[in-house]
Amino acid sequence: MTKKLFTSESVTEGHPDKVCDCVSDAVLDSILEQDKNAHVACETTATTGMVHIMGEISTTADVDIPSIARQVICDIGYNNPGCGFDGNTCGVIVSLDKQSPDIAMGVNESLELRDGETDADNQIGAGDQGMMFGYATDETPELMPLPISLAHSLSKKLTEVRKNGTLKYLRPDGKTQVTVEYDDNTAVRVDTVVVSTQHDEDVSLEQIRADVIKYVIKPVIPEKFLDGDTKIYVNPTGRFVIGGPMGDAGLTGRKIIVDTYGGFSRHGGGAFSGKDPTKVDRSATYYARYIAKNIVAAGLAKKAEVQLAYAIGVAKPVSIMVDSFGTSKYNDDLLEQAVEKVFDCRPNSIIRQLKLTETKYLPLAAYGHIGREDLGVKWEETDKTEALKKEIEKLI
């Protein structure tokens, strides 16, 4: 029996990096509403009094990007000068160009298509090279690691009690962190909870701590995981008045571990927000999660990690890997063979299967892109379990 601690963090939508992710995905959503074939790589940075939106976009859509950015910032809660950042008055700079034609030629017409393969799903090639990971574990109902699941729930609750007026003195920026103790790979207790929340200047630290424990931590962390040795830290610096882009510069794509598995699984390094689904950084990561989740949901493994890797301009992945960490009665090679039979990992097929040109991305920009059963996204469905089990039976 071995004991270990594992920690994951989450951030609220008012965190400066998440403000930028939200703006980038809101721009993407607005463009895809008009042009499903748009190529979008939208990056945002924010600092005191300023938002800069940049990147490469090729589209027929006509959208008012500054207005989109201001609306998102105000909806997050930065809608008055008292918060130190105001979507109504901040400067918005837009610096956009078209997608490089060198990239577009491989995305619009894959290597397979140029080689004469006429299958419709060979129409487009991967928008970049790289490797993407997906993961699933049976330790929570949504098949996510417990530390990131709890951290996200705390962040969502922190935002909820701010927006519904339960804790009116809260401001948008916030971070949460949960340390879970594992005994022989089973979560047995929560060792530490950290919540840091931006607040009005005239509220005492004692009130913040009492209210956050009562209205945020206790409703979220199951009682069975809390004990007399659980450590709880609320605003451990003692003050968090200056926050958001005024406290720290924000940047799209800087919370990729928060967006996925909280560090529990490997990560290919690519960010999601502001990227259309031809970018496999986004679409193939979602698909790898879809594969891993179906493996675990089918009972073929207690946990599974899937890696997909691509070459730019090529539709078919260059490699598919499954790691069950010794939790399956089947060897990983057999699982990989079943995956290759059941799942079509070409970008065009992924986009179609997961309905990625119809997905709204702004709701995903905060509180995780993975495990979001609350949003009804296709990559969280477990509709391939029977097909996987049947394929395994054929192979053994």
Side-chain angles (χ1 to χ4, degrees):
M1 303 290 281
T2 57
K3 290 187 177 182
K4 66 177 181 180
L5 300 177
F6 194 91
T7 302
S8 294
E9 73 160 352
S10 177
V11 297
T12 67
E13 62 201 53
H15 185 280
D17 294 330
K18 278 293 151 202
V19 170
C20 295
D21 285 343
C22 287
V23 170
S24 293
D25 271 337
V27 171
L28 173 66
D29 283 345
S30 296
I31 291 172
L32 290 180
E33 283 178 6
Q34 298 181 32
D35 179 10
K36 301 295 187 187
N37 297 314
H39 291 166
V40 180
C42 180
E43 311 279 352
T44 303
T45 186
T47 188
T48 304
M50 182 181 296
V51 175
H52 189 181
I53 301 163
M54 66 203 101
E56 299 77 42
I57 299 178
S58 295
T59 182
T60 59
D62 183 12
V63 298
D64 185 347
I65 291 176
S67 293
I68 294 168
R70 292 186 187 281
Q71 187 63 57
V72 168
I73 293 164
C74 288
D75 288 346
I76 287 171
Y78 292 115
N79 53 14
N80 68 80
C83 285
F85 190 75
D86 185 359
N88 296 298
T89 59
C90 65
V92 179
I93 301 170
V94 179
S95 306
L96 294 169
D97 205 345
K98 292 182 179 180
Q99 184 183 52
S100 162
D102 294 346
I103 296 174
M105 66 186 292
V107 177
N108 296 336
E109 188 175 307
S110 73
L111 178 67
E112 289 91 337
L113 198 67
R114 284 175 275 143
D115 284 346
E117 296 186 30
T118 57
D119 187 325
D121 282 324
N122 286 326
Q123 177 64 47
I124 65 172
D128 201 354
Q129 71 174 49
M131 65 285 191
M132 299 83 208
F133 288 94
Y135 181 78
T137 173
D138 65 359
E139 65 186 69
T140 61
E142 69 275 23
L143 305 186
M144 286 288 285
L146 183 62
I148 189 64
S149 181
L150 291 177
H152 281 322
S153 294
L154 288 172
S155 288
K156 285 191 277 189
K157 179 62 75 171
L158 196 58
T159 296
E160 178 187 316
V161 299
R162 170 176 64 87
K163 288 189 169 182
N164 69 18
T166 300
L167 301 181
K168 295 180 179 180
Y169 57 80
L170 295 185
R171 292 180 178 179
D173 197 356
K175 300 181 79 171
T176 65
Q177 185 172 286
V178 178
T179 302
V180 172
E181 181 179 312
Y182 287 84
D183 192 343
D184 199 26
N185 292 316
T186 299
V188 294
R189 59 183 292 274
V190 168
D191 182 79
T192 309
V193 179
V194 184
V195 177
S196 295
T197 179
Q198 189 186 13
H199 57 86
D200 290 344
E201 194 163 6
D202 58 356
V203 62
S204 70
L205 179 60
E206 289 72 24
Q207 182 180 352
I208 296 169
R209 284 178 172 164
D211 286 346
V212 167
I213 290 171
K214 179 179 179 180
Y215 293 107
V216 178
I217 296 174
K218 289 295 180 67
V220 166
I221 308 294
E223 189 174 350
K224 66 179 181 179
F225 288 125
L226 298 173
D227 59 32
D229 292 324
T230 300
K231 299 176 284 294
I232 295 177
Y233 299 102
V234 178
N235 283 16
T237 67
R239 176 182 166 91
F240 189 179
V241 174
I242 299 170
M246 185 179 181
D248 290 290
L251 182 64
T252 296
R254 201 157 55 184
K255 285 290 176 282
I256 58 176
I257 301 303
V258 171
D259 288 341
T260 51
Y261 306 97
F264 222 91
S265 170
R266 286 171 283 193
H267 198 295
F272 307 147
S273 291
K275 295 179 181 178
D276 75 85
T278 66
K279 276 75 172 174
V280 284
D281 278 345
R282 174 166 230 156
S283 54
T285 300
Y286 293 167
Y287 203 64
R289 161 64 174 176
Y290 181 49
I291 297 170
K293 188 170 184 178
N294 274 272
I295 290 172
V296 174
L300 301 177
K302 292 179 66 64
K303 56 183 176 179
E305 184 178 72
V306 174
Q307 185 200 53
L308 303 176
Y310 293 85
I312 187 169
V314 181
K316 295 175 183 176
V318 299
S319 68
I320 299 173
M321 181 277 294
V322 176
D323 188 348
S324 63
F325 306 96
T327 66
S328 175
K329 66 179 181 180
Y330 307 104
N331 64 55
D332 292 340
D333 181 63
L334 195 67
L335 293 173
E336 287 169 11
Q337 291 180 55
V339 164
E340 290 189 33
K341 293 286 187 179
V342 173
F343 295 92
D344 186 343
C345 300
R346 291 172 294 176
N348 201 57
S349 178
I350 292 173
I351 291 167
R352 188 185 70 256
Q353 291 177 67
L354 300 186
K355 298 184 177 181
L356 295 181
T357 57
E358 302 166 35
T359 299
K360 293 297 181 186
Y361 293 104
L362 176 56
L364 289 157
Y367 316 114
H369 294 247
I370 308 298
R372 298 302 300 275
E373 293 182 348
D374 58 314
L375 297 178
V377 291
K378 293 290 290 181
W379 56 92
E380 291 301 321
E381 294 184 0
T382 54
D383 54 348
K384 299 290 188 181
T385 56
E386 291 305 314
L388 275 171
K389 287 188 280 188
K390 287 178 182 177
E391 201 59 49
I392 287 285
E393 289 300 316
K394 291 179 187 177
L395 292 167
I396 58 177

